[in-house]
Amino acid sequence: MNPLVTPSIGLLFWQVVTFLLVLFLLSKFAWKPIMKALREREQNIDNALSMAEKAKLEMQSLRADNERLLNEARAERERILKEATDAATALVEGARTRANEEGARMIEQARVSIENEKKAALTEVKNLAATLSIDIAEKLIKRELQDEQAQRALVQSYLRDTPLS
């Protein structure tokens, strides 16, 4: 057989001894730091995942808080708009009521003023009619009573018409 294909016992022995020596040195000096680094890396990854989960939960909480605040703000806006609308309606209604009352008061004042002016005009017309009647009667009486006989006839007619009892 070919010596390259079949190793000798001595070569095999030294390969096993070298392998065990390298294995011992690696386990003594390399495996512990490598395993320690792997454990630290695994722990860092676990910490990062747990922090990411916490951040995710915190973000959900913040979103819920933001949504709640937005809903409260919307409700407050709606309440303020409703109050403003109600106040505006009340103001308009109050102004309308005051305008109606003022209009009614002015109409009543105008009616009273017209009635007073009407009464004053009627009184003035009556006074004028009475004055004119007296003036006309005076002129008629003066004309009829220019002679003494007409005066006596008038006095006689008055005496007949007047009851003396």
Side-chain angles (χ1 to χ4, degrees):
M1 290 215 199
N2 188 352
L4 291 175
V5 177
T6 58
S8 68
I9 294 272
L11 181 64
L12 199 57
F13 172 76
W14 285 114
Q15 282 182 345
V16 170
V17 170
T18 307
F19 177 75
L20 289 176
L21 180 66
V22 169
L23 185 64
F24 173 74
L25 289 175
L26 283 176
S27 69
K28 186 75 171 171
F29 298 108
W31 288 111
K32 286 183 183 177
I34 291 173
M35 292 305 286
K36 183 180 176 187
L38 286 175
R39 272 189 247 117
E40 286 176 2
R41 181 171 168 97
E42 184 179 353
Q43 189 176 9
N44 287 340
I45 290 172
D46 285 342
N47 287 343
L49 287 174
S50 68
M51 288 178 68
E53 187 64 32
K54 285 180 185 176
K56 181 180 174 185
L57 292 174
E58 190 174 325
M59 286 298 290
Q60 287 176 348
S61 173
L62 287 174
R63 278 192 193 125
D65 287 345
N66 285 344
E67 191 65 32
R68 182 184 50 80
L69 288 173
L70 280 173
N71 288 338
E72 286 176 5
R74 285 183 188 121
E76 182 71 13
R77 183 192 71 201
E78 291 299 321
R79 184 188 63 78
I80 289 171
L81 285 175
K82 185 179 181 311
E83 285 177 2
T85 303
D86 291 346
T89 303
L91 258 169
V92 167
E93 195 59 38
R96 184 178 293 134
T97 302
R98 284 192 300 276
N100 287 341
E101 289 171 356
E102 183 67 20
R105 186 185 61 77
M106 289 175 73
I107 290 171
E108 187 58 32
Q109 282 180 345
R111 189 176 291 129
V112 167
S113 176
I114 290 170
E115 189 64 33
N116 288 340
E117 288 179 19
K118 181 180 168 185
K119 286 179 183 177
L122 284 175
T123 303
E124 188 177 330
V125 167
K126 285 180 184 178
N127 288 340
L128 185 60
T131 303
L132 285 175
S133 296
I134 290 173
D135 286 346
I136 291 172
E138 182 180 334
K139 287 180 183 178
L140 283 175
I141 290 176
K142 276 185 184 178
R143 185 180 287 169
E144 286 185 15
L145 297 179
Q146 284 180 353
D147 64 355
E148 193 177 317
Q149 194 173 1
Q151 287 178 4
R152 285 179 195 238
L154 183 63
V155 168
Q156 289 297 327
S157 82
Y158 281 152
L159 288 175
R160 273 185 270 134
D161 293 340
T162 307
L164 293 175
S165 38

